């Protein structure tokens, strides 16, 4: 096992810059998740780490070795892809041992490692089957097994769960986490799914358009997002965004003066800010800041309720709502709800200490 250092990596295809100055230090044994929307450069970064793509500039170190110019086979890392790329004509055991065989590993050693990995993954009863006689979840495990038998310095995983149905995905997610706790192999895991990132990562790297937005633990990512993009990406339903002008350290939200929870709020005088409030930080009934609304829509999920409220004109995002409609409406996530029809008046409240404040022009957090 080894730590990995990525220094100032850039990648362009023709004129298109896909990765811009990507820098990341990964500790030995760490589980790091690269997350971001489709096309943000996650797979490209992973392929550069694996040696399947060449960086336009920058440096990659695994352990103490500069591997920037090494071939994939010389990097001592194992990759698990979204499509498992198993050989259809080989048994599970031979699929798992294939890479070792190609390296000329001793036959008895291959058998031992395959048996060990199969046991860890609970597929020891499937070793003689062909891939077509396996379920999606079982194939996925064979692909993991093939990586494990290599006993590599690091695992690279590119959306390894996205071909599984929702239930199996949750199950396998937990299995991969348990596997990591057991083997402690440095892992870089790519996904577009913020829930996978939050549940699996020691640290999350959020990317947008080839640029790292924030690197932090799941907890910090949720509590202290660095900008509007991160704030909107992490959490479901996403954070509510309300626009307002700061005056004397306060803003008007739902027609009320609310103190901004930032240092030197007075210095913000006259500035346009976006105030962020998570749906779960809004409660039904009285609270420090309470306001009356007539919900446009109420979604009941049994144990909780999503209450949709139109924002007052003055709190709507200038320039329009984002793709999720955020910026024009507010969602409150209420636990233990009572059955109330939409349209009926309802009091909601929040603690202003829970507000996040962002510069409306740059999107950067103001603390
Ligand atoms: P992600 O994995 O985050 O969805 P990718 O790393 O696959 O994103 O792609 C990042 C960007 O690079 C995309 O805009 C994609 O179209 C582009 N891209 C990826 N591979 C190539 C290639 N071989 N040639 C040109 N453009 C590419
Ligand atoms: Mg990808």
């Amino acid at each position: 096992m080894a730590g990995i250092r990525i220094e100032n990596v850039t990648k362009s295809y023709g004129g298109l810059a896909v990765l811009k100055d990507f820098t990341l230090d990964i500790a030995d044994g760490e589980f790091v998740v690269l997350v971001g929307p489709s096309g943000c450069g996650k797979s490209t970064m992973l392929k550069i780490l694996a040696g399947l793509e060449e960086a336009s500039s920058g440096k990659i170190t695994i352990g103490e070795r500069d591997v920037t110019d090494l071939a994939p086979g010389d990097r001592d890392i194992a990759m698990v892809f979204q499509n498992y790329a198993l050989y259809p004509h080989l048994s599970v055991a031979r699929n798992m041992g294939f890479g070792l065989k190609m390296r000329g590993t001793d036959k008895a050693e291959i058998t031992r490692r395959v048996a060990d990995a199969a046991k860890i993954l609970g597929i020891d009863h499937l070793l003689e089957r062909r891939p077509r006689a396996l379920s999606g979840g079982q194939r996925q495990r064979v692909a993991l097994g093939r990586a494990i038998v290599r006993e590599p310095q690091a695992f690279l995983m590119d959306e390894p769960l996205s071909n599984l149905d929702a239930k199996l995905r949750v199950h396998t997610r937990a299995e991969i986490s348990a596997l990591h706790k057991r083997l402690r192999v440095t892992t870089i895991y790519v996904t577009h799914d913020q829930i996978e990132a939050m549940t699996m990562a020691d640290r999350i790297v959020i990317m947008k358009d080839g640029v790292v937005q924030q690197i932090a633990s799941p907890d910090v990512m949720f509590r202290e997002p660095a900008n509007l993009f991160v704030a909107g990406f992490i959490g479901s339903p996403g954070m509510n965004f309300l626009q307002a002008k700061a005056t004397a350290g306060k803003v008007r939200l739902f027609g009320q003066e609310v103190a901004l929870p930032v240092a030197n709020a007075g210095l913000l005088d006259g500035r346009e800010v976006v105030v962020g409030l998570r749906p779960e930080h809004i409660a039904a009934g009285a609270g420090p800041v309470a306001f009356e609304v007539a919900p446009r829509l109420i979604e009941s999920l049994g144990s909780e309720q999503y209450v949709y409220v139109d924002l007052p004109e003055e709190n709507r995002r200038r320039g329009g709502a984002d793709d999720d409609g955020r910026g024009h409406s507010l969602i409150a996530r209420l636990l233990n709800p009572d059955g109330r029809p939409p349209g009926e008046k309802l009091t909601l409240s929040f603690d202003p200490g829970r507000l996040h404040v962002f510069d409306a022009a740059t999107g950067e957090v103001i603390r």
Side-chain angles (χ1 to χ4, degrees), residues 119-234:
K119 204 157 166 206
I120 289 171
L121 294 163
I123 51 172
D124 29 0
H125 59 298
L126 303 173
L127 284 174
E128 291 318 311
R129 284 207 204 161
R130 297 283 162 86
R132 70 165 177 278
L134 301 175
S135 70
Q138 290 168 334
R139 278 180 211 163
Q140 212 283 335
R141 267 175 240 184
V142 176
L144 279 173
R146 189 176 43 187
I148 291 171
V149 298
R150 296 260 313 273
E151 298 181 357
Q153 298 283 338
F155 292 131
L156 307 182
M157 304 191 187
D158 193 351
E159 313 235 9
L161 306 185
S162 48
N163 284 342
L164 305 179
D165 65 52
K167 201 168 165 193
L168 194 54
R169 208 179 307 145
V170 171
H171 178 72
T172 313
R173 183 172 89 197
E175 278 193 342
I176 291 179
S177 290
L179 191 66
H180 178 254
K181 289 213 164 52
R182 176 163 175 183
L183 302 176
R184 282 286 162 206
V185 177
T186 310
T187 303
I188 304 174
Y189 183 104
V190 159
T191 179
H192 63 274
D193 180 353
Q194 60 97 14
I195 296 179
E196 273 177 34
M198 289 295 281
T199 51
M200 300 177 89
D202 291 323
R203 273 190 309 158
I204 299 175
V205 179
I206 298 199
M207 299 168 65
K208 177 183 176 237
D209 300 334
V211 179
V212 172
Q213 304 291 306
Q214 188 170 2
I215 302 173
S217 68
D219 191 42
V220 169
M221 206 61 103
F222 186 82
R223 283 189 291 106
E224 298 166 16
N227 60 38
L228 275 173
F229 178 80
V230 174
F233 194 84
I234 296 288

Side-chain angles (χ1 to χ4, degrees), residues 37-44 47 82 158-159 190-192:
S38 179
C40 72
K42 306 180 295 293
S43 294
T44 303
K47 284 187 231 162
Q82 170 178 352
D158 193 351
E159 313 235 9
V190 159
T191 179
H192 63 274

